[in-house]
Amino acid sequence: MTTAKRAASKPKAAIPKKPEMNATSAADSVDEQLARYRSMRDFHITAEPSGGEKAKPRPTGALPFVIQKHAASHMHYDFRLGWNGVLKSWAVAKGPSYYTGDRRLAVQVEDHPMEYGGFEGIIPKGQYGGGTVMVWDQGTWTPQPGYENVDAGLRDGSLKFVMNGTKIKGKWTLVRMGGKAARESKPNWLLIKEHDDFERGQDAPCVTDDSPNSAVTGRTLEQIAQQEDHVWNSKDTVKSGQAWYRNSKPGAPDEVPASHTGVKPSGKTTKSAATGASRAGPSQSPSSEASSEATSAKGPKARFVIPDTLLQSLPKESQLSFLKPQLALEATTPPAADGWLHELKLDGYRIQARKDGTKVQMLTRSGLDWTHRIPEVAQAVAALPVKSLTLDGEVVVLGPDGTTNFADLQASFQEGAKNPLTYFCFDLLHIEGRNPRGLDLRQRKSLLATILTHPDGIVRLSEHLETDGEAMFHKACELHAEGIVSKRATSKYSPGRSGDWLKSKCLREQEFVIGGYTHSSDGNDRIGSLILGYYRDRKLIYAGRTGTGFTQKMRRQLKDQLQTIEAAKPAFERIPTDARRGAVWVRPDLVAQVRFATWTADDLVRQAAFLGLREDKPPAEVCREEPTVAPRPKVAHKASTAVVKAVAKKAARDAPASAGPPPKPALSAPGKSGPLPIRLTHPGKILDPETGLTKQELGEYYLTVAERMLPHIAGRPLSLVRCPEGSGKPCFYQKHVNHMLPKGIGSVAVPDKKTGVPEAYITLDTPEALAGLAQLGVLEVHPWGSRNADLEHPDRLIFDLDPDESLPWSAVTDAAAEVRDRLRKAGLTTFLKTTGGKGLHIVAPIEPQHTWAEIKQLAHNFVLAMERRNPALYLTKMTKSARKGKIYLDYLRNERGATAVAPYSPRARLGATVSLPLAWKDLELPARPGFHVKNLADWKQRLARDPWKTMLSTQQKISPDAFPMK
């Protein structure tokens, strides 16, 4: 099988008139990035590249890496690994690929200075590497065990390492080529993805297509080239000692801020003549001054006096110059336990306000001084009746509905829009020469409330609720807020990320009409993106594009469908000029389900991902969905308190309807479903065109088999295969909980095996929750091999026999019998089921005493022994090209995070077959048995006699040496 070609995206000829990214904030982010990389080592920049410096002692722990997308004489990706104080560098023409069959040519180039890893901007033409540079990905890397001697690996031409970046993760290899390639002027290497949980199939979208934009600023190459906010000028390095500068040319998107901008009580700002300075932190920017005796409309403010008893209990300290902020871990659902304070997630800029006498500084989360950018907020802080304090909060623009609006905030910075700024404070870090950070959060916020006494001012308290976190989250999402932040009420202030603060983000999802498409960058046989719209007053309104969420197969299938409805002109009422570039227009006959983060200031979807086509909704009914609860317009200019109260009020109003679990349906006997306990939209929708299976029939099927199926999936993390358009159409996996799931579906916190960050996985344990999967178009249910109560110790050993199509049924049954006999010799009783396809699963229940790694190794030893005994029949590697006439012994179901289809689960394939438990005597059947959801009546008698009845009561231990490799 030939490897699918995935060419890297090339810069487009035209530049969008109005890039989505705020040019000013993007430039500031690059400043922070450059400062961070510069801090990784001290060096004196010479003419680029500076690879001749004396190597420093070998660093320990995780090492930095960066991948820069570089549009020079030709498009390529610069793959750079930090080592011995420099960036070891390779030019990779097509960029990295998660498909293990791809061998990406990586030409080793000169070492680059560490600071260059933080650079995003332009290199002038005629200089080394002239063109546009993007920080496409960044993170850390560590050598794999056994390959820790990186110097030897560079010398011998073999590096094996683990990447932990924003886009690139897992195990990778760089190997130097021999033969003719070894005689090239620059060493040629191959960059290869190794097998692990992050690898992708050949038809999966390439990561360079999936995520084409900057990991730091979110910009495209075109936007970086247009804005020209940073320039790497290696010719001037020897003269000036600095290779880069921030562009302050007339007409640039943002001038370089002066080293100091004074903020006076009048609100006027002054700028020094100095430009082009690198702003690495607050130490480089003197504090601005503002009068602490400013007056309000009510007259002079009295100085705040902290209670003596509390003051004496707090440790003394000097005013902080800067404190690294406490950050929240991301979770898909908020904590359900008591003892948490839930705040609305604010969509703005995190700012630390430092007041010391008459001096005020407004510092970003990385310590940059932004006082000059928000002088009105600095004035308001200066006017607080306290001599010295440090506040932690968020500067935002309030939208008309009372929620925060980042698009308007961007417009304020970028375009000078007159949007009033509000500084919501949620923590107190210093007060009158004392350290309150050791107090409980609830105490700190109570003290903060005594200082911020004017709820309508520029500086306000960020309110919270001590209520059910999940209910608040759901209502916040209905109000179209960004989400909520849950904070442990008793927690101290601790810089960095920890589980004491958790953020839960809302994702929006709705239908859009498809009004056109663009071709993929790697060929015209597939789409690159869909052009979306919605109806308003019977006119089709342009809503942006989505270019993610597709597999390569889906891109081709959609192209075939859209070709049949192509049109000569767009159906949109109006469409921007830049959106016309490369567009192929179609009749507005198709509807797409799309998930996105938010709406931009231009009323376009942001971070949109395609989920599937909707055949159950006429295009004319597709409109822009608005919040279900509309706060009164007046409160938009009050405080976020109004939104918090609106959330609380609606949660309380809805509580009686959702309190407690819904009644369980009567299941007098397997095979008798009764009425569905859930409401289905469009119950007659066809989910399997081959058999005519409807959504209603799927829900009835789940209810019918619930008594048999639930014991094997309840209390376990689940992955669901959702097919909104039915079998044979694009489907997708969902394992995380979101607010769109029906009632009855719960969540379990599963720590990520790489980062340890808890993620909310789907779990369910009631018949009605199982039947509710029909509403989502779920055609497969995959449970973990361990239970929620003990995730790290599997209680099932699973072997998947996947035969080549040419093999007869008898070969598969003989193989299953051999597996059974071998496991029986190891003291294990086993159970059998069909996969719903051509193979079989053999499952052995085990005591949860061993780790996933131990069980995986045991399973691997087991199949290797079978392969060695009969290599003509058995294969243990997943290489499809080698499977002809053989049975693939898949042991990888026994790996943390891997799943196997559940017993009684349908399969997401034409015919909607079922993975059904069998008795071992069923191996004597003359032909492979097949079961379908649609013809349940033909085989429902099997539900009365459960061949897996004793599985849950079977207790058996497995010895570490149960499966010798022979």
Side-chain angles (χ1 to χ4, degrees), residues 549-675:
F550 312 96
T551 65
Q552 297 289 21
K553 183 178 180 180
M554 290 163 61
R555 291 181 188 274
R556 286 190 290 267
Q557 289 177 336
L558 284 169
K559 172 66 181 301
D560 292 341
Q561 284 183 270
L562 293 169
Q563 269 187 319
T564 63
I565 56 172
E566 287 185 4
K569 58 182 182 179
F572 298 99
E573 180 190 25
R574 287 189 301 271
I575 190 163
T577 303
D578 59 288
R580 296 174 177 268
R581 187 176 59 255
V584 180
W585 307 117
V586 299
R587 297 195 309 270
D589 295 344
L590 297 179
V591 176
Q593 188 77 14
V594 174
R595 178 176 295 140
F596 60 102
T598 187
W599 291 93
T600 70
D602 297 329
D603 287 332
L604 305 180
V605 288
R606 183 181 180 192
Q607 299 173 2
F610 174 77
L611 298 181
L613 292 177
R614 293 288 301 267
E615 297 178 359
D616 58 341
K617 187 163 187 176
E621 294 182 6
V622 174
C623 60
R624 176 168 169 173
E625 297 179 4
E626 301 296 342
T628 56
V629 177
R632 283 176 288 181
K634 290 182 180 180
V635 302
H637 302 290
K638 295 284 185 180
S640 69
T641 308
V643 182
V644 175
K645 289 180 178 177
V647 170
K649 183 177 179 180
K650 192 171 191 300
R653 185 173 67 246
D654 293 351
S658 58
K664 293 185 178 182
L667 291 177
S668 56
K672 296 182 180 180
S673 63

Side-chain angles (χ1 to χ4, degrees), residues 802-882:
D802 187 2
D804 179 61
E805 293 279 4
S806 64
L807 289 174
W809 168 242
S810 59
V812 184
T813 59
D814 289 346
E818 182 179 347
V819 172
R820 181 194 191 191
D821 291 342
R822 283 176 170 265
L823 291 173
R824 181 187 289 157
K825 290 178 182 178
L828 297 178
T829 299
T830 53
F831 298 82
L832 179 72
K833 73 179 178 72
T834 68
T835 62
K838 59 186 183 296
L840 293 170
H841 282 169
I842 296 96
V843 183
I846 57 175
E847 291 293 303
Q849 297 177 327
H850 303 283
T851 65
W852 283 104
E854 291 169 340
I855 293 299
K856 180 184 176 183
Q857 187 60 57
L858 285 170
H860 195 190
N861 291 347
F862 182 88
V863 297
L864 284 174
M866 290 184 66
E867 183 183 39
R868 290 191 177 97
R869 182 178 177 275
N870 191 353
L873 179 61
Y874 297 130
L875 180 73
T876 62
K877 294 183 178 180
M878 62 174 61
T879 310
K880 289 188 177 181
S881 59

